[in-house]
Amino acid sequence: MNRLYITLVSLAVLTACTDKKTTETAAVEAPKGGMMNKMETIGIEKTNPVVPLQLPAELRADQRTEIVAKINSYVTDLRVDIGDFVKKGQVLMVLEAPEIQAQVSNAQAKWKAQEALYIATKATYDRTLKANETQGAIAPDYLEQITAKMLADKAQLAATASAYEEVKNINQYLVIKAPFDGMVTDRQVDKGAYVGPMNHQPLLIVEDINKLRLNLAIAEAHTPYIKVGDTVSFQVKTIPQEVFTAVVTRKSGSLDLKLRTEQIQADIDNKKQVLKPNMIADATLKLQRHEPSFFVPKTALVESNLGLYVIEVREGVAYHIKVAKGRVMPMLVEVFGDLEAGTQILKMATEEIMHEQKIK
């Protein structure tokens, strides 16, 4: 019995020692197999991938007009409300300004009176010219006076006619019509309201919602990749399950002075009216060059007080090659500099590695 107990204890101790040795061996050998080579180099080659660029964007109506009153007046007839579709030239609102209508009548009366006066003066002038055909019948001074009177009345007639047309045109502003086909999206007045050019709010807002514009602001570094005709895909939060597409139709051609961005617009057919103006969208553009370029891993790029550079390894010596950054992908960065295809660079570059330092 004692022998059996001693034997069992010895086997347990031996097994424990063996397991411990195996565990320690695995712990020592595991790092050796998975150890990363910090001096690993890679050869660079030119590629031309399509790099997606995600940007916030805004949907706007293709046409949007805030209608205001040009003259002080009262709203006497309001024929539309928000949500109403209107046609170009349709009467939206009628205003009334009694003093303007009185001015129109007054100007018309002055024009007619001056017209009658000119007709009489012109008739006298014509008779005087006829009589002057008989030598000595009309004194030269009288002929000059009647000619001057006729020309003055003619000029006065033109002035009164112009004044009448001006007031009459102002009177036409009392009838407000739709500038284009669209929808009334806002109304700020009611019947009887006093309106005028000093009011801060528009009377009505009309928008063309059948056609929308997707507005994007492209950073200066990305503007060379975007051209008219490119396709933009976007999503809106209200319909997250659907991806919409639009075509770039215009570029501003200039950068914003504050943001250093270029405005890009893409037209959207919205006849089904699924989308609405002023929605915020998440847009995706595809950036691609006409010619291939170099892409390196992000870990190969060093950004320090010495500048931006990659580390070339040539015959066991490290050399700093200054580069400029281009497009950015999740794992790669486009770089421009004094690089050639096949150049060996450090995959894990750090600023601790000095220029012309020998490395293993």
Side-chain angles (χ1 to χ4, degrees), residues 285-347:
L285 290 163
K286 296 180 179 179
L287 308 181
Q288 189 173 26
R289 282 188 172 273
H290 297 293
E291 298 177 355
S293 56
F294 290 113
F295 279 81
V296 301
K298 288 184 176 180
T299 55
L301 200 62
V302 180
E303 189 169 1
S304 68
N305 55 0
L306 298 177
L308 191 68
Y309 59 90
V310 295
I311 300 178
E312 178 187 0
V313 178
R314 190 167 64 246
E315 297 179 354
V317 180
Y319 297 93
H320 292 184
I321 307 298
K322 290 187 177 182
V323 295
K325 188 188 297 184
R327 294 169 291 173
V328 179
M329 299 178 68
M331 301 298 294
L332 301 175
V333 180
E334 184 181 27
V335 294
F336 303 94
D338 189 13
L339 300 171
E340 296 180 358
T343 298
Q344 297 291 320
I345 65 172
L346 282 181
K347 187 176 181 180

Side-chain angles (χ1 to χ4, degrees), residues 131-140:
N132 193 47
E133 293 178 359
T134 302
Q135 188 174 5
I138 301 296

Side-chain angles (χ1 to χ4, degrees), residues 17-18 22 35 42 44 58 62-63 94 100 106 111 113 131 155 179-180 189 279 285 300 312 324-325 349 359:
C17 291
T18 303
T22 302
M35 183 176 293
I42 58 172
I44 60 174
E58 183 183 14
D62 183 58
Q63 297 185 85
V94 178
I100 296 297
N106 187 29
W111 170 51
F180 49 80
V189 294
M279 276 185 169
L285 290 163
E312 178 187 0
K325 188 188 297 184
I359 61 174

Side-chain angles (χ1 to χ4, degrees), residues 92-313:
L92 308 179
M93 184 184 301
V94 178
L95 308 177
E96 185 179 75
E99 62 278 9
I100 296 297
Q101 292 161 347
Q103 291 176 15
V104 172
S105 300
N106 187 29
Q108 185 179 21
K110 288 183 178 179
W111 170 51
K112 290 297 182 181
Q114 187 61 39
E115 185 179 33
L117 181 60
Y118 171 70
I119 291 173
T121 304
K122 183 67 167 55
T124 303
Y125 172 75
D126 291 340
R127 289 194 299 270
T128 304
L129 284 183
K130 186 69 174 175
N132 193 47
E133 293 178 359
T134 302
Q135 188 174 5
I138 301 296
D141 290 344
Y142 179 75
L143 180 60
E144 291 177 359
Q145 292 175 5
I146 198 65
T147 302
K149 181 71 167 63
M150 183 274 296
L151 294 176
D153 288 346
K154 183 178 180 180
Q156 189 65 27
L157 175 62
T160 54
S162 177
Y164 169 65
E165 288 296 327
E166 180 182 359
V167 178
K168 186 176 69 172
N169 290 335
I170 292 178
N171 190 46
Q172 293 176 356
Y173 289 116
L174 296 175
V175 179
I176 297 177
K177 299 180 181 180
F180 49 80
D181 295 351
M183 175 185 283
V184 178
T185 58
D186 194 12
R187 175 177 71 86
Q188 295 292 337
V189 294
D190 297 306
K191 287 184 179 181
Y194 179 75
V195 297
M198 299 303 294
N199 288 10
H200 298 292
Q201 291 183 332
L203 309 180
L204 301 170
I205 296 179
V206 179
E207 297 184 76
D208 179 7
I209 64 173
N210 290 328
K211 183 179 178 182
L212 302 180
R213 297 188 183 197
L214 183 70
N215 286 0
L216 303 101
I218 306 297
E220 180 180 358
H222 297 141
T223 53
Y225 306 101
I226 309 298
K227 60 183 181 298
V228 174
D230 288 350
T231 301
V232 184
S233 59
F234 66 95
Q235 291 178 286
V236 293
K237 294 182 179 179
T238 53
I239 317 173
Q241 72 277 11
E242 188 168 352
V243 178
F244 302 90
T245 58
V247 176
V248 176
T249 50
R250 59 192 69 85
K251 300 173 62 178
S252 66
S254 178
L255 297 182
D256 182 271
L257 289 176
K258 294 181 180 180
L259 302 178
R260 298 296 173 184
T261 57
E262 182 180 12
Q263 186 179 9
I264 306 295
Q265 292 186 342
D267 288 345
I268 305 164
D269 185 357
N270 192 42
K271 292 182 179 178
K272 295 182 179 179
Q273 298 175 9
V274 177
L275 301 170
K276 300 182 184 299
N278 304 318
M279 276 185 169
I280 300 299
D282 294 323
T284 302
L285 290 163
K286 296 180 179 179
L287 308 181
Q288 189 173 26
R289 282 188 172 273
H290 297 293
E291 298 177 355
S293 56
F294 290 113
F295 279 81
V296 301
K298 288 184 176 180
T299 55
L301 200 62
V302 180
E303 189 169 1
S304 68
N305 55 0
L306 298 177
L308 191 68
Y309 59 90
V310 295
I311 300 178
E312 178 187 0
V313 178

